[in-house]
Amino acid sequence: MPVNIIVCVKQVPHPEHFSRITFDPARQAIRREGIPTVINPLDLNAVEEALRLRDRFTGKVTVISMGPPGARAVLEGALAMGADAAVLLSDKSFAGADSLATAYCLSCGIKKIPFDLVLCGKESIDSGTGQVAPQVAEFLGIPHATSVSEITVGGEDTLILKQVLERGYMKVRVRMPAVLAVTGEINQPRLPTIMTIMGAKEKPLEVWGASRIEADPDRLGLSGSPTQVTGMRQREIKRRREVLRGGPEEIAREAVERLQELLKA
């Protein structure tokens, strides 16, 4: 049973460099210039699960992303993992999109690719809304499930899913085509090898703009985003610091005394 799978991936700031992210009060936006980027960690789990399903049932894995030209790097990384093809949705009109406009853009791109299943990470580490996967499903008019930690085949066009809940899990049955948002528990993403990295250079990676995906300009980017930033400020935290020196017992005694003094003040 061939299964053609599309995986939505996102370029995000490297978690180890979050402390370098600053605010631009003039643009009311986050400054990300000079911050290294990586593929969103949970999207790696989505790519891995797609590859496992393809290897079991044959078919094709296509990764898709909406972003600036530099987002090619995350797609190349997914190709190096083993994906068959990649599509970057990149256009100036996509800038400033909230989750709804992003999902609309992705859905327009997905409609141009034959698919049986769409996989996404449950959420991204930079915004963490968890909204894009369900919104993509709504635009496509197909079922969806979130927080998926296990996927098994229940029939020719049916999947059995393990969906994580706050105090346990439930098993649900979904018919393809569908959109699934996976958790980090579902698998351990593979590392690319030298051979797969070299092989990725020969795989197709296309860049599509707004006209190629036949998207409504009024539903893209900032103009298509019902949620917009109207104000931003950076919180300043001032803390009192003291350095205590001496042996462990002396420092402990002095620390207690200082805390008692501060509580009385």
Side-chain angles (χ1 to χ4, degrees), residues 242-245 247-263:
E242 294 185 30
V243 178
L244 305 179
R245 303 183 186 282
E249 294 182 2
E250 182 182 357
I251 291 175
R253 182 170 55 253
E254 187 175 352
V256 171
E257 291 174 355
R258 292 294 295 124
L259 288 171
Q260 290 174 337
E261 291 173 7
L262 291 170
L263 288 172

Short mmCIF file of all heavy atoms in Angstrom, two decimals, residues 242-245 247-263:
data_model
loop_
_atom_site.label_atom_id
_atom_site.label_comp_id
_atom_site.label_asym_id
_atom_site.label_seq_id
_atom_site.Cartn_x
_atom_site.Cartn_y
_atom_site.Cartn_z
N GLU A 242 24.49 39.48 46.03
CA GLU A 242 25.60 39.57 46.97
C GLU A 242 26.45 38.31 46.86
O GLU A 242 25.93 37.21 46.63
CB GLU A 242 25.09 39.72 48.41
CG GLU A 242 24.37 41.02 48.68
CD GLU A 242 24.00 41.17 50.15
OE1 GLU A 242 24.74 40.63 51.00
OE2 GLU A 242 22.99 41.81 50.44
N VAL A 243 27.75 38.48 47.04
CA VAL A 243 28.67 37.34 47.00
C VAL A 243 29.19 37.10 48.42
O VAL A 243 29.75 38.00 49.06
CB VAL A 243 29.85 37.60 46.04
CG1 VAL A 243 30.81 36.41 46.06
CG2 VAL A 243 29.33 37.84 44.63
N LEU A 244 28.96 35.89 48.91
CA LEU A 244 29.42 35.53 50.26
C LEU A 244 30.67 34.67 50.13
O LEU A 244 30.71 33.74 49.31
CB LEU A 244 28.33 34.77 51.01
CG LEU A 244 26.97 35.48 51.12
CD1 LEU A 244 25.97 34.61 51.88
CD2 LEU A 244 27.12 36.84 51.81
N ARG A 245 31.65 34.96 50.93
CA ARG A 245 32.90 34.20 50.87
C ARG A 245 33.21 33.58 52.23
O ARG A 245 32.81 34.09 53.27
CB ARG A 245 34.05 35.12 50.45
CG ARG A 245 33.83 35.82 49.11
CD ARG A 245 35.02 36.67 48.70
NE ARG A 245 34.77 37.44 47.50
CZ ARG A 245 34.81 36.95 46.27
NH1 ARG A 245 35.13 35.68 46.08
NH2 ARG A 245 34.55 37.73 45.23
N GLY A 247 34.12 29.58 54.38
CA GLY A 247 33.86 28.15 54.39
C GLY A 247 32.38 27.87 54.30
O GLY A 247 31.55 28.77 54.49
N PRO A 248 31.99 26.61 54.03
CA PRO A 248 30.57 26.26 53.87
C PRO A 248 29.71 26.65 55.07
O PRO A 248 28.62 27.22 54.89
CB PRO A 248 30.62 24.73 53.68
CG PRO A 248 31.97 24.46 53.14
CD PRO A 248 32.87 25.45 53.77
N GLU A 249 30.17 26.36 56.29
CA GLU A 249 29.37 26.68 57.47
C GLU A 249 29.24 28.18 57.66
O GLU A 249 28.16 28.70 58.00
CB GLU A 249 29.98 26.03 58.71
CG GLU A 249 29.93 24.51 58.69
CD GLU A 249 30.51 23.91 59.96
OE1 GLU A 249 30.91 24.68 60.86
OE2 GLU A 249 30.55 22.67 60.05
N GLU A 250 30.34 28.89 57.43
CA GLU A 250 30.33 30.33 57.58
C GLU A 250 29.40 30.99 56.56
O GLU A 250 28.62 31.90 56.89
CB GLU A 250 31.75 30.88 57.41
CG GLU A 250 31.87 32.38 57.60
CD GLU A 250 33.28 32.87 57.36
OE1 GLU A 250 34.17 32.03 57.10
OE2 GLU A 250 33.49 34.09 57.42
N ILE A 251 29.44 30.51 55.29
CA ILE A 251 28.58 31.07 54.24
C ILE A 251 27.12 30.79 54.54
O ILE A 251 26.25 31.66 54.38
CB ILE A 251 28.98 30.48 52.87
CG1 ILE A 251 30.35 31.00 52.44
CG2 ILE A 251 27.92 30.82 51.81
CD1 ILE A 251 30.86 30.38 51.17
N ALA A 252 26.82 29.54 55.01
CA ALA A 252 25.44 29.18 55.32
C ALA A 252 24.88 30.05 56.44
O ALA A 252 23.75 30.54 56.38
CB ALA A 252 25.36 27.70 55.71
N ARG A 253 25.68 30.26 57.48
CA ARG A 253 25.24 31.08 58.62
C ARG A 253 25.01 32.53 58.18
O ARG A 253 23.99 33.15 58.52
CB ARG A 253 26.28 31.02 59.74
CG ARG A 253 25.89 31.81 60.99
CD ARG A 253 26.82 31.54 62.16
NE ARG A 253 28.22 31.80 61.80
CZ ARG A 253 29.13 30.86 61.58
NH1 ARG A 253 28.79 29.58 61.65
NH2 ARG A 253 30.38 31.18 61.28
N GLU A 254 25.93 33.06 57.39
CA GLU A 254 25.80 34.44 56.94
C GLU A 254 24.62 34.61 55.99
O GLU A 254 23.92 35.62 56.02
CB GLU A 254 27.09 34.89 56.24
CG GLU A 254 27.11 36.37 55.89
CD GLU A 254 28.44 36.82 55.30
OE1 GLU A 254 29.39 36.01 55.32
OE2 GLU A 254 28.50 37.97 54.83
N ALA A 255 24.37 33.58 55.14
CA ALA A 255 23.25 33.65 54.22
C ALA A 255 21.93 33.69 54.97
O ALA A 255 21.02 34.47 54.63
CB ALA A 255 23.28 32.44 53.27
N VAL A 256 21.79 32.89 56.02
CA VAL A 256 20.58 32.89 56.83
C VAL A 256 20.38 34.24 57.50
O VAL A 256 19.28 34.80 57.53
CB VAL A 256 20.62 31.75 57.87
CG1 VAL A 256 19.44 31.89 58.85
CG2 VAL A 256 20.57 30.39 57.19
N GLU A 257 21.47 34.79 58.03
CA GLU A 257 21.38 36.09 58.70
C GLU A 257 20.97 37.18 57.72
O GLU A 257 20.14 38.04 58.04
CB GLU A 257 22.74 36.43 59.34
CG GLU A 257 23.10 35.54 60.52
CD GLU A 257 24.50 35.81 61.03
OE1 GLU A 257 25.22 36.62 60.40
OE2 GLU A 257 24.88 35.19 62.05
N ARG A 258 21.53 37.17 56.53
CA ARG A 258 21.20 38.18 55.53
C ARG A 258 19.74 38.07 55.08
O ARG A 258 19.05 39.07 54.89
CB ARG A 258 22.12 38.07 54.31
CG ARG A 258 23.56 38.42 54.57
CD ARG A 258 23.75 39.90 54.92
NE ARG A 258 23.39 40.77 53.83
CZ ARG A 258 22.49 41.75 53.92
NH1 ARG A 258 21.84 41.97 55.05
NH2 ARG A 258 22.24 42.52 52.87
N LEU A 259 19.26 36.82 54.91
CA LEU A 259 17.87 36.62 54.52
C LEU A 259 16.93 37.12 55.60
O LEU A 259 15.89 37.72 55.32
CB LEU A 259 17.60 35.13 54.22
CG LEU A 259 18.21 34.58 52.93
CD1 LEU A 259 18.07 33.06 52.88
CD2 LEU A 259 17.55 35.20 51.70
N GLN A 260 17.27 36.87 56.86
CA GLN A 260 16.43 37.34 57.97
C GLN A 260 16.39 38.87 57.99
O GLN A 260 15.33 39.47 58.23
CB GLN A 260 16.95 36.79 59.29
CG GLN A 260 16.74 35.29 59.44
CD GLN A 260 17.38 34.72 60.70
OE1 GLN A 260 18.32 35.32 61.24
NE2 GLN A 260 16.87 33.58 61.13
N GLU A 261 17.53 39.51 57.71
CA GLU A 261 17.60 40.97 57.69
C GLU A 261 16.73 41.53 56.56
O GLU A 261 16.01 42.53 56.74
CB GLU A 261 19.04 41.44 57.50
CG GLU A 261 19.94 41.17 58.70
CD GLU A 261 21.40 41.51 58.40
OE1 GLU A 261 21.66 42.07 57.31
OE2 GLU A 261 22.26 41.20 59.23
N LEU A 262 16.78 40.89 55.41
CA LEU A 262 16.01 41.36 54.27
C LEU A 262 14.50 41.19 54.50
O LEU A 262 13.71 42.02 54.05
CB LEU A 262 16.44 40.61 52.99
CG LEU A 262 17.84 40.93 52.48
CD1 LEU A 262 18.23 39.95 51.37
CD2 LEU A 262 17.92 42.36 51.97
N LEU A 263 14.13 40.11 55.19
CA LEU A 263 12.71 39.88 55.47
C LEU A 263 12.17 40.92 56.45
O LEU A 263 10.99 41.30 56.39
CB LEU A 263 12.50 38.47 56.04
CG LEU A 263 12.66 37.31 55.04
CD1 LEU A 263 12.61 35.97 55.76
CD2 LEU A 263 11.56 37.37 53.98
#
